Amino acid sequence: MTPYEIMLSESQERMLLVAQKGREEEVFCVFQKWGLDAVEIGRVTSDGKMRVFEHGEVVAEIPNAALTDEAPLYKRPLERWEPAIERRCRST
């Protein structure tokens, strides 16, 4: 995957999750049980930044908060949907 694809992993129908250190094998077992692939692609650091590496070189760096606490929220309008065509029930 390209660095761009890694940064957009959720929108590309891939999931990124963080497992507690030492419990990675449990995650792999759950994925295997359901016939899914899982690979380790990184590790958690204490500096609060997410870095994407390609061949050992940093190609992207962003504060974690920008992806979590400061991420934009999409607030969809909440109203009842009505079909354009009137519904009719057929008696049987």
Side-chain angles (χ1 to χ4, degrees):
M1 292 192 307
T2 67
Y4 180 79
E5 291 169 329
I6 292 170
M7 292 293 291
L8 297 176
S9 62
E10 291 84 359
S11 66
Q12 300 296 321
E13 297 183 7
R14 288 181 284 277
M15 295 296 177
L16 180 65
L17 63 92
V18 178
Q20 185 177 14
K21 188 163 181 69
R23 300 188 69 183
E24 300 88 352
E25 195 59 38
E26 293 176 54
V27 173
F28 295 141
C29 288
V30 170
F31 274 69
Q32 183 179 13
K33 174 183 176 181
W34 296 104
L36 301 170
D37 295 324
V39 295
E40 185 177 336
I41 64 164
R43 60 185 170 83
V44 175
T45 61
S46 62
D47 64 2
K49 294 186 180 180
M50 177 179 158
R51 291 181 188 82
V52 178
F53 291 83
E54 184 175 41
H55 306 293
E57 178 185 340
V58 176
V59 292
E61 182 176 277
I62 186 169
N64 289 335
L67 301 170
T68 56
D69 304 331
E70 299 165 9
L73 297 176
Y74 177 56
K75 295 185 180 183
R76 298 177 58 175
L78 301 174
E79 33 184 89
R80 182 176 172 84
W81 177 80
E82 294 294 334
I85 300 172
E86 182 181 333
R87 293 182 189 175
R88 296 183 186 178
C89 296
R90 289 194 272 180
S91 50
T92 55

